[in-house]
Amino acid sequence: MIRSRGIGMTAVVAASLSWSLQASAQTAAQDTVSSRTGPHTTTIGMVVGPFGSFLLSPQFILDTVFTDNLFATKSDKSADIKYVFKPSFSLSSDWVNHSLKISAKADQSKHVDNIGENALNYGLDISGRLDALTQSNLTASVNFGKTTSGRGDPNDVVAGVIETEQTISTKSTIKLGGLYNENVISVKLDVIGTRTDFDDAGETNNDDRDSLNMKTTARVGYAWVPGAVAFIEATHDLRHFDRAVDDEGFKRSSRGYEVLLGGVLDFSAVTFVELGIGYINLDVKAFARPGLIEQPIAHGAPGQPLDMQLQVIVERRHAGQGI
């Protein structure tokens, strides 16, 4: 595959190895992004908005992609050229307290020969934080997006046969969270609900893939020394599929939980390192087809130290994020 890329207005995004933890005894000084100075804190984006300052960061990417095997087949290979246009933007508040961010993106692809593979994907995300107290806040976010998987995608191979049409899915996510800090004790609660819907692809019925996922996570932290927090975290994960039995005769709904013990070290009020070890239990009723014995599959059943995990996370946060 050969790719060339042209970029117009861009905003540079730097990513670090991170995870979900937020448990700290202190945060950075209360300031705004645009007021920070230094070689590593240069503001990226245009300052706009009548309601205080907002940072607008637009991005436009144009890709030209050539492939000699569009559908990833062993024979009858199909070469094609694809043009991809990816506009996106983010609008972020630059306030001392509270925060609001709106971002949107789109991905439009056009094929020269295989026009049936043309696709339009998009996503919208709105998130905000209400700072109730100095170290306590409420958060909320809403996300909606559409994705398209080409019929040459290995993930769309069913029973050894490649899908004859694209698979289109939409996903909606709502997240609510709360953080409370009192002296050395911190409590954090997150509830995430995700609805995923798949469209049928030709003669392939994807209704058995539609699902609702509810995930609840609670964390309690204790700052035993300045800059170090020990925590215990519990997660309940429920995945419910619309159809009790899928087309292959299996029950796919599941319910599980996870317990994580660990600690967080605060190195610079914006850089944190987290260490944790956890235990996962997932209960799935595997078989429902007539003639098969229905039996639960338990990962990490009592007395069996299965699915142990060790996590090391490095995370950078801005002022007001708290735990």
Side-chain angles (χ1 to χ4, degrees), residues 126-305:
I126 303 174
S127 61
R129 188 189 74 246
L130 177 64
D131 295 326
L133 299 172
T134 303
Q135 293 292 318
S136 302
N137 57 58
L138 299 174
T139 58
S141 65
V142 178
N143 176 275
F144 177 79
K146 172 197 168 189
T147 59
T148 304
S149 299
R151 61 190 177 101
D153 188 331
N155 294 324
D156 291 330
V157 177
V158 179
V161 179
I162 298 179
E163 296 290 326
T164 58
E165 293 189 19
Q166 297 172 327
T167 299
I168 298 174
S169 63
T170 57
K171 179 180 292 187
S172 305
T173 301
I174 298 177
K175 179 179 179 180
L176 301 175
L179 167 66
Y180 177 75
N181 274 300
E182 181 64 29
N183 296 324
V184 297
I185 302 297
S186 58
V187 180
K188 190 173 189 296
L189 177 66
D190 285 316
V191 179
I192 305 175
T194 303
R195 172 68 186 180
T196 305
D197 289 291
F198 287 85
D199 293 346
D200 294 341
E203 298 181 356
T204 302
N205 183 2
N206 286 319
D207 290 340
D208 59 348
R209 302 174 66 182
D210 299 341
S211 65
L212 175 65
N213 183 216
M214 293 295 297
K215 188 173 185 179
T216 303
T217 302
R219 170 175 286 195
V220 177
Y222 176 74
W224 53 287
V225 295
V229 176
F231 69 85
I232 180 171
E233 179 182 280
T235 300
H236 180 264
D237 195 346
L238 173 65
R239 185 176 297 273
H240 173 75
F241 284 82
D242 291 0
R243 293 177 57 177
V245 181
D246 66 14
D247 293 339
E248 300 298 320
F250 295 97
K251 289 183 177 180
R252 303 179 65 185
S253 297
S254 63
R255 181 191 303 268
Y257 64 85
E258 173 185 346
V259 178
L260 184 68
L261 298 175
V264 185
L265 301 179
D266 182 354
F267 280 94
S268 63
V270 293
T271 302
F272 300 80
V273 173
E274 173 182 330
L275 299 174
I277 185 168
Y279 174 84
I280 299 174
N281 181 291
L282 178 63
D283 188 9
V284 182
K285 289 186 177 180
F287 302 111
R289 187 187 304 163
L292 294 179
I293 299 176
E294 183 174 302
Q295 56 183 342
I297 296 179
H299 300 284
Q304 298 178 0

Side-chain angles (χ1 to χ4, degrees), residues 69 71-77 162:
N69 191 3
F71 305 115
T73 57
K74 293 183 179 181
S75 59
D76 297 327
K77 299 180 180 180
I162 298 179

